[in-house]
């Protein structure tokens, strides 16, 4: 989703996610300004809990910050990026900023299917009846919290 939401910025058609016409991020940011979520898009339901409301188990704010941070990564194969300092989302997700920059440049070559922290990918594989997912080592290395 974030990749598609950033296409206008990468192509230098837009400067910010809010100015990216025909993207879900523009709809989400505009609706968020009114304290709403767009009715035509699957809503963000917040952090997982029991019972879980319908929607994606993430906070809308975290997704918007993730798109913003990803858009700030200058990629050699793209023309555009969002300027300024990254927000603290990676700290909260316990992802090393260098790893995130690397993944932004090499995402397609590192992952072919499921992408998340290793624990979540293993859980999804179990639910889907899959034995493994391509890129599991990279999920462990780049996206999983450090073990203590």
């Amino acid at each position: 989703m974030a990749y598609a939401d950033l296409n206008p910025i990468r192509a230098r058609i837009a400067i910010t996610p809010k100015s990216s016409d025909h993207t879900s991020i523009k709809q989400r940011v505009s609706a968020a300004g009114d304290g709403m979520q767009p009715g035509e898009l699957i809503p963000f339901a917040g952090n997982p809990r029991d019972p879980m409301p319908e929607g994606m188990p993430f906070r809308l704010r975290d997704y918007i910050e993730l798109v913003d941070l990803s858009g700030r990564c200058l990629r050699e194969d793209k023309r555009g990026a969002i300027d300024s300092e990254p927000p603290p989302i990676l700290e909260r997700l316990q992802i090393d900023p260098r790893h995130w920059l690397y993944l932004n440049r090499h995402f397609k070559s590192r992952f072919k299917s499921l992408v998340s922290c290793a624990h979540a990918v293993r859980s999804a594989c179990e639910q889907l009846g899959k034995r493994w997912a391509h890129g599991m080592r990279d999920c462990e290395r780049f996206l999983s919290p450090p073990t203590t």
Side-chain angles (χ1 to χ4, degrees):
M1 242 172 40
Y3 181 87
D5 279 336
L6 287 170
N7 279 339
I9 291 168
R10 297 294 188 208
R12 285 194 178 166
I13 296 169
I15 297 172
T16 65
K18 190 172 183 173
S19 64
S20 301
D21 289 334
H22 313 293
T23 61
S24 66
I25 190 68
K26 179 178 181 169
Q27 290 176 283
R28 291 183 192 283
V29 169
S30 296
D34 298 327
M36 308 282 291
Q37 291 198 53
E40 62 275 4
L41 298 174
I42 295 173
F44 284 88
N47 295 324
R49 57 196 173 280
D50 212 11
M52 185 66 195
E54 190 171 318
M56 292 182 272
F58 304 98
R59 294 183 316 165
L60 174 60
R61 177 178 157 212
D62 290 339
Y63 177 70
I64 291 171
E65 288 179 358
L66 181 66
V67 169
D68 185 63
L69 175 65
S70 298
R72 295 168 196 266
C73 299
L74 185 59
R75 291 182 42 178
E76 293 174 16
D77 61 332
K78 304 293 181 188
R79 293 184 292 178
I82 300 170
D83 286 333
S84 85
E85 293 296 314
I89 183 74
L90 293 184
E91 288 177 31
R92 290 197 310 275
L93 294 175
Q94 296 180 330
I95 297 174
D96 186 313
R98 292 170 298 166
H99 291 170
W100 189 254
L101 290 172
Y102 174 81
L103 289 175
N104 265 274
R105 291 185 182 108
H106 306 286
F107 191 85
K108 287 182 182 178
S109 66
R110 305 308 293 188
F111 301 103
K112 304 293 183 213
S113 62
L114 302 172
V115 180
S116 186
C117 65
H119 172 74
V121 171
R122 284 189 191 96
S123 177
C125 284
E126 188 176 303
Q127 290 176 351
L128 296 169
K130 293 179 73 168
R131 292 184 182 199
W132 65 279
H134 179 82
M136 180 60 80
R137 284 193 185 137
D138 288 328
C139 289
E140 290 172 341
R141 179 177 180 199
F142 298 118
L143 302 172
S144 297
T147 56
T148 52

